[in-house]
Amino acid sequence: MDELEITIDELADLPEGSYTLIDVRDEISFAYGTLEGAVSEPDIIGAANGGRLPKDRRLVLFCMHGNESYAAAQELSRRGYDAVSLHDGYGAWLRKQTARQEDRSLEIEQGIRTRSGRKKLLSPFCRAVRDYELISPGDRIAVCISGGKDSMLMAKLFQELARQNRMPFELVFLCMDPGYNELNRLVIENNAATLGIPLTVFESEIFDAVYTIEKSPCYLCARMRRGHLYAKAKELGCNKIALGHHYDDVIETILMSMLWGAQIQTMMPKLHSTNFEGMELIRPMYYIREDDIKAWRDANHLHFIQCACHFTDTCSSCRTDGAAVSKRMDTKLLIQKLKKTNPGVEKNIFNSVNNVNIDALPSYKRDGVKHSFLDTYDSE
């Protein structure tokens, strides 16, 4: 380590107000989680060119692993700034923050039971279960834990629902390790311990299998992961797997299908498996907003992994494969822009697939068969 780097412990010793903490990762990574008090500046050199960086204090830069932030600190130092890079980046801080601690599950559960917690989290969770008939008496459900904020919250909501004892069902908290790096595996296990979630972990080599795939590796990875989860859940005697997709995932899927898939479809609240007889997929987070999940995370001072695969376990600025931000992230950013001029755009997108007027469509598909309005046009 040299003079352009600073450790987590050294950062803690700096006098308050003597430095500015700058996250140079992309905006999506920043939104998933960052250091307290940090500001987002993905284009740090552009900020310097535009005179937006202070020269009267130290600039502490960080990215996921310290690669891009170190290079930026070098350039800023050359320009006369007092700039340093956080050694080993956000990953080092995340490891320290999620070090195994005592079970805080009771404290976190009490937050879910507050008026705000019930309104924004538990009630929409229960409403989706009721509206879409996601749980039946006697079900044994594999709650699939990826390690992110969504699946971890889903696990806590399932525990709360089971505690209410409205109907008899069993839970298995299933986590597949498809090839996590050491940091991500550690963060997942430590967070589960903190939240009081008893994980059943099994391993696969999916990440290695799709790493060299150039076309749609994320799509292939998702299909393979789901297949492995179905198989393990069935082996454990489960008849359903639960995934943590939320309201924002649903509306993003609707737009993605239109803009990039040239079709209109959405993420369904439940599906029968076509390859595993008797198995079903359910999405009980269907009505829960991502901002409310983030608020729950931040209120409980929790820190989760963003995406643990070989393509995105670093911020986009640290990646060496030249991969572009995923279409889902593009769509997320597009919705954010639309919301600035139309605050109701998210609700409108969600409701659009529930208000489809087939009489006003030139054609549509049902059970894989295409139908045209011309089929009955003259008879009408």
Side-chain angles (χ1 to χ4, degrees):
M1 193 171 69
D2 58 34
E3 61 182 9
L4 289 180
E5 288 188 298
I6 186 172
T7 66
I8 292 292
D9 292 335
E10 290 172 337
L11 176 63
D13 292 336
L14 292 180
E16 186 176 350
S18 67
Y19 65 94
T20 297
L21 194 57
I22 303 177
D23 190 336
V24 301
R25 299 174 301 160
D26 55 87
E27 294 178 2
I28 296 296
S29 299
F30 180 82
Y32 268 90
T34 190
L35 276 67
E36 184 176 356
V39 296
S40 177
E41 194 58 77
D43 184 9
I44 188 70
I45 302 304
N49 292 337
R52 300 196 304 272
L53 299 180
K55 282 195 171 182
D56 60 346
R57 62 179 63 191
R58 171 165 285 192
L59 305 180
V60 180
L61 317 180
F62 68 93
C63 55
M64 188 62 191
H65 298 300
N67 301 332
E68 182 68 16
S69 57
Y70 184 84
Q74 285 183 311
E75 175 61 22
L76 292 181
S77 296
R78 188 183 66 79
R79 299 186 183 201
Y81 289 92
D82 179 12
V84 293
S85 171
L86 185 63
H87 182 64
D88 286 340
Y90 179 67
W93 182 84
L94 190 62
R95 183 191 297 271
K96 191 177 184 68
Q97 291 299 308
T98 59
R100 190 173 296 277
Q101 52 187 307
E102 63 182 57
D103 186 336
R104 291 176 49 216
S105 59
L106 292 180
E107 170 193 341
I108 293 169
E109 287 162 8
Q110 288 174 354
I112 291 175
R113 295 167 193 161
T114 63
R115 182 176 180 180
S116 176
R118 294 185 67 87
K119 178 181 178 181
K120 295 182 177 180
L121 302 174
L122 188 58
S123 290
F125 183 87
C126 293
R127 189 166 71 252
V129 169
R130 181 182 64 250
D131 288 355
Y132 300 116
E133 301 177 358
L134 301 183
I135 302 177
S136 300
D139 279 344
R140 182 172 170 83
I141 304 169
V143 181
C144 298
I145 307 294
S146 67
K149 66 187 189 313
D150 309 327
S151 61
M152 288 291 191
L153 173 59
M154 177 177 65
K156 295 308 299 178
L157 293 173
F158 261 117
Q159 287 180 327
E160 182 64 18
L161 186 61
R163 186 191 69 83
Q164 295 179 1
N165 198 28
R166 295 185 179 183
M167 70 175 73
F169 64 91
E170 298 179 66
L171 298 171
V172 175
F173 299 97
L174 190 59
C175 177
M176 179 180 64
D177 182 345
Y180 291 136
N181 63 40
E182 180 184 355
L183 171 62
N184 286 325
R185 175 73 178 255
L186 181 66
V187 169
I188 292 171
E189 292 176 339
N190 288 352
N191 277 330
T194 299
L195 292 166
I197 300 170
L199 286 185
T200 297
V201 182
F202 71 103
E203 298 179 353
S204 71
E205 298 179 352
I206 291 176
F207 285 171
D208 288 337
V210 302
Y211 187 60
T212 58
I213 303 298
E214 294 184 2
K215 186 176 181 181
S216 302
C218 295
Y219 174 77
L220 177 60
C221 179
R223 287 185 62 86
M224 292 179 66
R225 292 175 74 171
R226 187 170 301 177
H228 278 68
L229 287 169
Y230 268 127
K232 188 63 176 182
K234 191 167 187 177
E235 176 187 320
L236 295 173
C238 299
N239 65 311
K240 292 179 179 178
I241 66 170
L243 302 184
H245 297 121
H246 47 67
Y247 184 99
D248 296 68
D249 290 325
V250 176
I251 62 176
E252 289 159 15
T253 299
I254 296 170
L255 271 193
M256 287 171 63
S257 70
M258 295 174 64
L259 300 179
W260 284 284
Q263 57 186 331
I264 298 176
Q265 63 180 33
T266 189
M267 184 178 283
M268 296 296 287
K270 65 179 181 180
L271 291 167
H272 288 295
S273 172
T274 56
N275 298 317
F276 295 86
E277 185 177 356
M279 295 293 293
E280 192 174 5
L281 179 155
I282 62 174
R283 294 185 171 104
M285 305 273 282
Y286 209 76
Y287 290 150
I288 298 180
R289 300 305 310 268
E290 185 174 25
D291 282 346
D292 294 330
I293 299 174
K294 291 178 181 178
W296 167 80
R297 174 200 64 192
D298 296 343
N300 289 287
H301 307 289
L302 297 169
H303 306 277
F304 302 108
I305 64 173
Q306 175 183 346
C307 178
C309 77
H310 295 329
F311 294 97
T312 57
D313 69 343
T314 59
C315 57
S316 62
S317 58
C318 287
R319 293 187 338 229
T320 58
D321 58 8
V325 176
S326 74
K327 290 294 184 287
R328 183 168 292 277
M329 289 189 179
D330 287 342
T331 306
K332 188 185 293 287
L333 294 174
L334 173 60
I335 293 174
Q336 290 176 3
K337 291 180 180 179
L338 293 173
K339 190 177 179 181
K340 293 179 180 179
T341 55
N342 181 4
V345 68
E346 294 159 310
K347 185 177 180 179
N348 291 341
I349 295 172
F350 185 89
N351 289 338
S352 66
V353 292
N354 293 289
N355 295 316
V356 176
N357 183 1
I358 292 181
D359 293 333
L361 297 179
S363 63
Y364 64 93
K365 285 184 178 179
R366 184 171 182 82
D367 297 328
V369 178
K370 188 172 182 178
H371 301 273
S372 169
F373 82 106
L374 293 174
D375 296 340
T376 58
Y377 181 76
D378 289 334
S379 63
E380 293 174 351

